Amino acid sequence: LKDSVDISNNILDKINSDLRDISDLLRAVSLMKTPHEQILELVSGYGEVWSATIISEALRQEGYPFIFLNARDVLIVSEDELGTKVHWDISEEKLNIFLSEQKILFDESEFGKNKAIKYPGVPTPNLLITGYIATSLTGISTTLKRDGSDFSASIFGKMLKATGITIWTDVSGVYSADPRRVSEAQIISDVSYTEAIELAYFGAKVIHPKTMAPAILDKIPIYIRNSFAPSHPGTKIFLPPIKGQVLREHSVCGFTTVDGIALLNIEGTGMIGVPGIAHRLFGALKAANISVLFIAQASSEYSICFATKEIHVESAKKSISEAFFYELKQGLISNIRIISKCAIIAAVGESMSNTPGVSGIFFGALGDASVNILSISQGCDERNISAVVYASEATKALRAVHSAFLLSSLDITIGIVGTGRVGSAVILSLLEQVNILNSHFGLNIRIRGITNSKKMLLGDNLVSILNEKLDSFFPIKKTTSYSIDDDINIETTMKRSRSSSSLTLDYNNDSSEYQNSDLDIFFNYMKSGTTPHVIIIDATSSDYVASLHPQWLKGLVHVVTANKRAIANSLELYNSVYSSAKEHNRMYMSQVTIGASLPIRTTLYDMLSSGDAVYKIIGLMSVSVGVILNELIDNGLSFTEALVKTYRSGLLEDDVFADLEGTEAAQKLLLLARELGVPMSLNDIEIEPIASRRTIDSWDNLNGLFDKENDIMAEKCRLAKEKGCTLRYVQRIECNPPAELGNRSEITAKASVRLEEVPLDSQYAMVKGAVYYFAFHTDRYSQNPLVIQGPLSDSANTASGIIGDILRIAKSIGAKGKATKSISSPLLNY
């Protein structure tokens, strides 16, 4: 106001006069040593008056026709049990007098409503009104209390017959959830009055329920806008033209929580069928001035449960104990129990009443996220579903239900144990596909931990760290590629070089990001986050890590494993794994333990589930031995030469004798037998080894270590060729009676791993190179078996199978495919 010295001086004089009055009031308070509420109300309103006066004069100075209105001159309110009550008739009369004095009239016709009529030669002025303050019926200055400024806007919007009320705040509208807890929370463009009231009551901080009351009376829409992003359209809060109208694609518009809650549960046989129990209970709470946030009662009337603020819970228990003193003494009420440190989570949506299954999705999401529900409540209007959970699980619960209704991606925490070839390939695959998994399947993958036997790396989300330091974490080592097909093109080889290289997590630097490996700390860290779903991937071949699988499942973690040792060793551990998964509703995925990315397990499961009966399964399940045999017969190499070549191509297990003794192939056969329901152990399988175990000091010079096998295998090859045959390492399992779901307890089976002569025109002879082969002989495939055949299980293929298992888990916990803009693919629905 530098250009209007007189106006500035007048305003300053008024402010100084007010400050002297305030000083006198404060001196009186100091002398009385008792602050009076009316003094507080008066003093707290001065700031609104001063700022509005200054702003209105500044706007006028800039040429904008504004008139200052002190709300205390027109807005008359009183206080009762329900809060601030506006006396509309008196307030509107005073406002009309003020408008007449300022020569502002309004067109009351239907089409001209809310449009000011200009007097000739007088510009139509705007009103700049103080918020927050008002006057009582007795003429005493008062305030509108909490959120009073927004309340003022709504009140004057109604009295001035506005077509819309805009609340300017620091956010761009009403969010679908608290963005501090759910990073993918979205601004909701349209919200009904009832939805907004429910959200506001249950903790949404954008708008207070009382703010909406005046607007609701005249059906005036409210707009929530952001002062720091004025171009954002914000959220419109309005009355839908049709009750129950579907406002949006999803039936639920948002979720919210109320923290700092405690539950009280009153139970006893003396309450059953007795009228007035609820009246006495809530009457006692009213007398103690305690607000009840949530109520649930069993239909048997044996118990009543309610929630209140935790700070009031002891007072509530005391009031109830006094009100039901006789019943407690006589044992008619057996217990008044407090459950502290709780939170209420609520789903809100106008369209929920017209959509079956909303409750199922809501509670299913909480169950899948392992969130324990303490109590539930739903009104008959079906606009709100509420549940009480432990406060420690509130964020996890909020994220779970938010993603379940497709309001955000499904959050999945992943921990990876093992950083060898398979583990590293899994990490690289996840890094390469994390955006695809989000855009196509709605998955928000968070890698929170990586560990091997020495070191581990933990963090809230390692994706960005791993991407930034990819070359230092995963130095590529040159390896010799094994060519399955001489015609394979160089482009494919180059494209897969990183995935097929021997990758290891580099722990040779002194980075503070690393910790010494501790699987207990690792597991607890995986569970400690707010992400509702956790998957641990076992990419090791460790017996110890395998022994932890039941513990992980009991800890409510899903397990994906490339390590077959948990399910291919003792029946006790096998049964413990699957019983733990079933008891705790977790998924145990082991697809890659038999044929890498080939769908062996899922095919067998689908056959049995559809009622088919399996007679036998015949396969070539040892890729490494198959390659050795090809080199012997087709290329004329000695056993030693073929063994060394296969080893250097990276096809053999770390323990090469697991392949040569037939143990690796037998374990795959064992897994198939157990899938068929046969309680078989490894000792029950007849195994013919290719070579027995011995110590290998150096692969550069075997020094006649396999001379005996050279002679034996050369003779076997000669005899096979004379008969018009070739050699194959064949695995068989035959069931009697045929295996089907209904007769699993009666099945016996014979299983073998043998070196066999097979005719050159047989299917087995045609399988050459690093290839798996499985033939299923069943009722439905009795004439021609169902054959699944595919290439070597290198680390890239195994990683793709593990990604597939992750997707199967995601589907089971609510993930749904997202259709692309151009075409909706059935693959997106799995």
Side-chain angles (χ1 to χ4, degrees):
L1 302 178
K2 59 184 178 180
D3 296 332
S4 303
V5 178
D6 292 340
I7 294 175
S8 298
N9 289 335
N10 289 336
I11 293 174
L12 286 173
D13 289 343
K14 181 67 172 71
I15 292 174
N16 287 325
S17 175
D18 290 340
L19 288 173
R20 287 191 292 271
D21 292 341
I22 293 172
S23 178
D24 292 340
L25 287 170
L26 295 178
R27 176 170 173 75
V29 170
S30 175
L31 292 172
M32 296 172 60
K33 302 189 183 303
T34 304
H36 195 281
E37 183 179 355
Q38 290 179 353
I39 295 177
L40 294 175
E41 298 278 305
L42 174 62
V43 172
S44 62
Y46 275 111
E48 293 282 340
V49 176
W50 296 338
S51 59
T53 302
I54 294 170
I55 292 171
S56 63
E57 292 295 345
L59 289 169
R60 273 204 294 269
Q61 187 177 8
E62 294 297 323
Y64 299 104
F66 272 87
I67 292 177
F68 167 69
L69 169 59
N70 189 334
R72 284 174 172 164
D73 294 336
V74 300
L75 181 55
I76 308 300
V77 300
S78 60
E79 296 291 324
D80 58 22
E81 290 181 344
L82 299 178
T84 302
K85 176 183 176 182
V86 178
H87 292 270
W88 294 108
D89 292 341
I90 301 174
S91 300
E92 288 176 353
E93 181 181 353
K94 288 180 174 289
L95 178 60
N96 288 332
I97 292 172
F98 174 83
L99 296 176
S100 298
E101 291 173 350
Q102 300 297 327
K103 295 187 177 181
I104 304 174
L105 295 179
F106 285 88
D107 183 354
E108 294 290 346
S109 70
E110 181 180 353
F111 297 103
K113 188 176 181 181
N114 190 41
K115 295 186 177 178
I117 301 173
K118 299 179 182 178
Y119 278 87
V122 180
T124 302
N126 300 298
L127 293 176
L128 199 149
I129 309 170
T130 56
Y132 183 62
I133 60 176
T135 300
S136 71
L137 278 170
T138 56
I140 298 173
S141 295
T142 186
T143 66
L144 300 180
K145 311 301 186 293
R146 176 187 169 190
D147 293 297
S149 295
D150 293 349
F151 192 19
S152 296
S154 186
I155 290 170
F156 279 99
K158 176 186 174 342
M159 291 200 294
L160 292 168
K161 300 176 177 61
T163 57
I165 299 166
T166 300
I167 306 294
W168 292 95
T169 180
D170 58 354
V171 294
S172 296
V174 178
Y175 278 91
S176 56
D178 186 343
R180 295 168 298 181
R181 288 180 160 181
V182 181
S183 58
E184 293 185 311
Q186 306 164 8
I187 296 292
I188 312 168
S189 59
D190 298 292
V191 179
S192 73
Y193 288 133
T194 52
E195 288 173 331
I197 290 171
E198 293 276 7
L199 288 169
Y201 176 79
F202 278 96
K205 303 295 192 294
V206 175
I207 189 168
H208 195 277
K210 72 178 182 182
T211 299
M212 289 178 275
I216 292 172
L217 290 174
D218 281 8
K219 303 177 183 178
I220 303 171
I222 300 174
Y223 299 88
I224 307 297
R225 303 284 297 277
N226 191 341
S227 303
F228 303 102
S231 60
H232 195 286
T235 297
K236 176 183 178 182
I237 304 173
F238 70 113
L239 178 68
I242 303 172
K243 185 178 181 181
Q245 175 189 4
V246 177
L247 301 180
R248 62 192 66 84
E249 178 184 356
H250 306 298
S251 57
V252 175
C253 75
F255 302 88
T256 187
T257 58
V258 183
D259 298 314
I261 297 300
L263 271 180
L264 282 93
N265 188 61
I266 301 95
E267 59 185 43
T269 56
M271 299 194 301
I272 299 175
V274 179
I277 291 292
H279 173 75
R280 291 171 59 193
L281 169 64
F282 296 113
L285 295 172
K286 177 182 180 298
N289 199 29
I290 294 172
S291 177
V292 175
L293 305 176
F294 174 105
I295 303 170
Q297 182 175 15
S299 59
S300 65
E301 301 183 2
Y302 177 74
S303 66
I304 299 177
C305 172
F306 69 91
T308 187
K309 286 290 186 181
E310 193 158 15
I311 57 175
H312 298 145
V313 68
E314 291 298 336
S315 298
K317 183 176 181 180
K318 180 181 177 183
S319 299
I320 297 168
S321 298
E322 291 173 353
F324 291 94
F325 175 80
Y326 173 79
E327 287 82 357
L328 286 165
K329 188 173 182 179
Q330 297 297 318
L332 299 174
I333 291 180
S334 58
N335 187 26
I336 301 175
R337 184 165 64 103
I338 295 175
I339 304 176
S340 301
K341 298 181 180 178
C342 299
I344 299 174
I345 179 169
V348 175
E350 186 78 36
S351 303
M352 285 164 52
S353 59
N354 300 323
T355 309
V358 173
S359 296
I361 297 172
F362 180 81
F363 294 115
L366 294 177
D368 288 337
S370 306
V371 174
N372 187 30
I373 300 172
L374 303 174
S375 187
I376 61 177
S377 179
Q378 180 178 12
C380 63
D381 61 4
E382 298 184 75
R383 293 192 183 99
N384 177 302
I385 303 172
S386 301
V388 179
V389 301
Y390 287 112
S392 59
E393 297 183 326
T395 298
K396 180 169 69 170
L398 188 61
R399 295 171 72 95
V401 296
H402 193 270
S403 63
F405 286 87
L406 298 183
L407 299 180
S408 64
S409 299
L410 183 69
D411 289 328
I412 296 180
T413 284
I414 289 182
I416 300 162
V417 181
T419 58
R421 283 178 297 179
V422 172
S424 296
V426 170
I427 295 168
L428 287 170
S429 294
L430 287 171
L431 293 178
E432 290 168 359
Q433 298 184 51
V434 65
N435 292 330
I436 295 174
L437 292 173
N438 184 276
S439 61
H440 284 73
F441 300 102
L443 303 183
N444 181 26
I445 299 293
R446 302 160 66 91
I447 301 175
R448 297 193 75 231
I450 302 171
T451 185
N452 62 19
S453 60
K454 297 178 181 178
K455 296 283 186 178
M456 63 183 178
L457 184 64
L458 305 178
D460 187 55
N461 192 353
L462 300 178
V463 169
S464 57
I465 295 175
L466 292 170
N467 276 321
E468 289 171 5
K469 302 182 179 181
L470 195 62
D471 291 333
S472 62
F473 279 141
F474 300 107
I476 299 178
K477 301 177 183 178
K478 291 184 69 175
T479 61
T480 304
S481 298
Y482 180 81
S483 177
I484 298 172
D485 185 344
D486 291 337
D487 295 328
I488 189 168
N489 61 63
I490 294 175
E491 181 182 357
T492 304
T493 303
M494 294 297 290
K495 193 173 183 180
R496 293 192 176 188
S497 62
R498 165 155 275 174
S499 297
S500 60
S501 298
S502 177
L503 305 177
T504 54
L505 191 57
D506 181 14
Y507 292 119
N508 295 323
N509 60 43
D510 297 324
S511 173
S512 60
E513 294 166 316
Y514 304 137
Q515 303 178 34
N516 291 328
S517 180
D518 185 315
L519 286 176
D520 288 336
I521 293 175
F522 179 86
F523 174 68
N524 290 328
Y525 185 81
M526 290 302 102
K527 289 198 61 186
S528 66
T530 58
T531 305
H533 308 292
V534 181
I535 298 173
I536 292 182
I537 299 170
D538 181 0
T540 73
S541 57
S542 163
D543 285 319
Y544 173 67
V545 175
S547 71
L548 298 176
H549 291 187
Q551 176 185 328
W552 293 345
L553 293 164
K554 291 175 183 176
L556 305 179
V557 168
H558 303 281
V559 176
V560 175
T561 182
N563 180 2
K564 65 175 70 70
R565 295 175 184 268
I567 50 177
N569 284 329
S570 71
L571 271 172
E572 181 182 0
L573 181 55
Y574 176 90
N575 290 330
S576 178
V577 165
Y578 284 105
S579 62
S580 298
K582 182 177 181 180
E583 179 181 352
H584 298 280
N585 195 28
R586 301 297 97 178
M587 294 193 72
Y588 187 81
M589 305 301 294
S590 54
Q591 176 76 260
V592 300
T593 56
I594 298 179
S597 58
L598 297 181
I600 306 303
R601 283 180 170 276
T602 51
T603 299
L604 183 56
Y605 176 81
D606 291 343
M607 284 179 172
L608 295 172
S609 298
S610 64
D612 204 353
V614 180
Y615 290 87
K616 59 185 175 182
I617 302 173
I618 304 175
L620 304 177
M621 306 176 196
S622 177
V623 168
S624 55
V625 175
V627 170
I628 290 172
L629 293 175
N630 288 159
E631 298 289 357
L632 289 172
I633 293 183
D634 297 342
N635 297 329
L637 300 183
S638 69
F639 179 79
T640 299
E641 291 169 337
L643 177 61
V644 171
K645 184 176 181 180
T646 305
Y647 172 78
R648 287 178 175 164
S649 69
L651 297 178
L652 287 161
E653 292 288 317
D654 293 336
D655 176 9
V656 296
F657 289 101
D659 286 319
L660 298 178
E661 290 183 323
T663 307
E664 177 72 13
Q667 286 179 332
K668 294 173 183 176
L669 203 60
L670 178 63
L671 293 178
L672 289 171
R674 290 177 173 177
E675 287 289 318
L676 292 169
V678 181
M680 185 177 283
S681 66
L682 205 59
N683 294 331
D684 298 321
I685 300 175
E686 180 186 339
I687 304 174
E688 179 184 353
I690 299 298
S692 58
R693 186 172 293 274
R694 63 205 68 178
T695 302
I696 299 176
D697 295 324
S698 171
W699 283 94
D700 294 328
N701 186 2
L702 295 181
N703 293 323
L705 198 61
F706 291 97
D707 283 349
K708 180 180 178 181
E709 283 77 9
N710 288 341
D711 295 338
I712 292 173
M713 295 307 295
E715 179 65 14
K716 286 182 180 292
C717 289
R718 184 185 66 79
L719 294 174
K721 287 181 178 180
E722 288 179 354
K723 298 175 185 178
C725 295
T726 189
L727 295 177
R728 291 292 180 263
Y729 203 42
V730 181
Q731 294 77 45
R732 299 173 182 270
I733 181 169
E734 299 183 12
C735 302
N736 184 25
E740 52 187 329
L741 287 182
N743 68 345
R744 287 194 162 201
S745 61
E746 305 169 3
I747 299 172
T748 59
K750 291 182 180 180
S752 63
V753 178
R754 292 196 191 102
L755 183 64
E756 297 184 8
E757 295 176 349
V758 299
L760 291 175
D761 59 353
S762 69
Q763 289 288 330
Y764 310 119
M766 295 178 187
V767 178
K768 295 185 178 182
V771 175
Y772 282 119
Y773 177 91
F774 296 83
F776 296 86
H777 297 259
T778 73
D779 272 345
R780 294 175 186 162
Y781 299 96
S782 57
Q783 298 298 318
N784 295 295
L786 174 66
V787 173
I788 299 177
Q789 183 174 330
L792 159 74
S793 60
D794 65 4
S795 56
N797 282 340
T798 303
S800 69
I802 288 173
I803 299 296
D805 278 346
I806 291 172
L807 288 174
R808 291 181 187 92
I809 292 175
K811 179 186 177 184
S812 75
I813 55 181
K816 294 181 176 62
K818 296 181 179 179
T820 63
K821 292 181 180 179
S822 57
I823 185 171
S824 179
S825 168
L827 288 176
L828 299 179
N829 294 319
Y830 302 49

